[in-house]
Amino acid sequence: MTGSDLVVHVKQSPNHYWGRAGQRIWILTPHCVVGQCTAESLGELFARPARRASSTYGIDKDGRIAQYVDEANAPWTTSSYWNDCRAITVEVASDTYAPYRMNQEAYDSLVRLGADICRRYGFKRVIYAGNLWTLQNTAWPADALILSCHRWFAATACPGDWLLQREEQLAKDITSEIEEGRDLTKEETITLIEERTPTIVNRILDELARQRRTDNEMPKWAGVEDEFDAAHEHGITDKTRPNDFPTRLESAIMANRARDNAVKAAVETVKAMFLTDADSDVQATG
Ligand SMILES: [Zn+2]
């Protein structure tokens, strides 16, 4: 079933059209269930053929997301063949004592689900159409997902005044969630590692240097031939003056080389930690 990874319960409803009459998805229609429901109870309701109703998704009072109709098929939700062929629809539970008012958990899940749909279909923003005429007569940008309302198509209070007053806010909340919840691309991950790792490593090295000064201890390799060779192997000294003690300037240069090498090694190590095998070409060239 084509759908969202956020789904925790699936119950296929027989109540839907097959396909979408050739239309692409560009509308999201949030509906509101009067009173509370669970992901399971709503699924049972839509599973009955006699009910002749369904929605693509359901969100229960605890914010759990269920799927009842494949996104490839038009659901029977909005009393409009035109809308449902173009829309993903979501039935959202509301408060028992305040019909149409959504719990915070349910609203947050609606935002997350909306953003997930946007990411999967390549939408960069969400716009509330405002009314039926505007919905149907605007040349909407291809990168925008448009919010519509059930009550524009039928004599119903759905989605209720509570959500109706928040449609603009919902559009904004989903739009900002698109970026927030997005996975970093491989290039962005590499940039982030290359920018942040040196700062972190330098902070650690500063702390070690501070402790060394406090302990007033000479590094062991300073007077030992083997250790001097090891330092050369690590690129810390070029051994141009192997027979004398290094001058103060040479020591400073060696210390800086050691620091640069430590940072470079750390960047490579962190890259190896965060990039998968499929990205290993980057590690090789990095
Ligand atoms: Zn509705």
Side-chain angles (χ1 to χ4, degrees):
M1 185 139 86
T2 314
S4 172
D5 286 341
L6 300 172
V7 166
V8 296
H9 174 73
V10 175
K11 177 81 180 174
Q12 299 238 22
S13 168
N15 306 326
H16 61 78
Y17 301 104
W18 289 102
R20 291 183 169 275
Q23 299 300 322
R24 72 175 180 97
I25 291 168
W26 57 272
I27 297 174
L28 177 66
T29 317
H31 295 249
C32 203
V33 178
V34 179
Q36 296 191 343
C37 62
T38 64
E40 289 76 11
S41 68
L42 199 56
E44 289 305 321
L45 201 68
F46 290 153
R48 294 184 212 151
R51 181 83 191 181
R52 299 193 61 75
S54 69
S55 59
T56 319
Y57 294 100
I59 297 176
D60 73 12
K61 59 188 172 61
D62 299 319
R64 294 168 64 244
I65 300 172
Q67 186 168 8
Y68 311 119
V69 177
D70 194 303
E71 285 181 4
N73 296 323
W76 293 351
T77 325
T78 319
S79 328
S80 163
Y81 181 66
W82 185 91
N83 187 83
D84 286 344
C85 281
R86 293 159 174 78
I88 287 174
T89 64
V90 191
E91 285 282 2
V92 188
S94 63
D95 197 290
T96 310
Y97 302 105
Y100 296 120
R101 191 184 71 196
M102 292 175 188
N103 294 340
Q104 192 63 47
E105 291 84 354
Y107 180 83
D108 290 348
S109 287
L110 179 57
V111 171
R112 274 197 298 275
L113 178 60
D116 174 69
I117 291 164
C118 287
R119 286 192 290 270
R120 285 187 293 112
Y121 287 87
F123 297 116
K124 300 277 180 270
R125 55 197 159 134
V126 179
I127 301 169
Y128 173 51
N131 58 66
L132 180 58
W133 193 91
T134 307
L135 175 75
Q136 294 184 318
N137 293 283
T138 304
W140 298 107
D143 70 348
L145 180 66
I146 313 301
L147 296 182
S148 77
C149 286
H150 191 175
R151 69 164 70 170
W152 298 343
F153 301 96
T156 170
C158 183
D161 289 341
W162 188 90
L163 184 63
L164 216 58
Q165 287 160 12
R166 288 167 179 77
E167 295 276 6
E168 300 273 3
Q169 188 59 45
L170 177 64
K172 273 186 207 151
D173 289 345
I174 296 174
T175 301
S176 39
E177 181 73 15
I178 296 170
E179 277 295 304
E180 292 276 328
R182 187 173 61 83
D183 284 342
L184 293 179
T185 64
K186 189 172 77 178
E187 286 71 24
E188 286 168 335
T189 306
I190 293 167
T191 305
L192 196 67
I193 290 168
E194 287 176 346
E195 280 175 5
R196 299 278 175 84
T197 309
T199 311
I200 296 164
V201 172
N202 277 313
R203 208 173 288 157
I204 294 167
L205 292 175
D206 285 345
E207 176 59 20
L208 287 174
R210 195 189 61 76
Q211 280 178 16
R212 175 79 69 190
R213 278 197 299 276
T214 311
D215 298 345
N216 199 21
E217 212 181 79
M218 281 293 283
K220 251 198 296 174
W221 60 265
V224 185
E225 189 73 21
D226 289 354
E227 301 288 348
F228 196 65
D229 288 340
H232 176 241
E233 258 173 51
H234 286 96
I236 294 166
T237 170
D238 59 9
K239 290 182 96 175
T240 46
R241 293 180 59 225
N243 300 319
D244 302 317
F245 285 112
T247 64
R248 188 181 286 247
L249 177 63
E250 284 166 343
S251 299
I253 291 168
M254 282 156 63
N256 279 331
R257 276 186 201 152
R259 185 174 281 252
D260 288 348
N261 289 343
V263 170
K264 269 183 214 154
V267 169
E268 291 312 308
T269 305
V270 178
K271 270 187 198 167
M273 279 164 63
F274 283 95
L275 299 176
T276 61
D277 288 346
D279 302 322
S280 59
D281 58 316
V282 177
Q283 293 169 37
T285 56

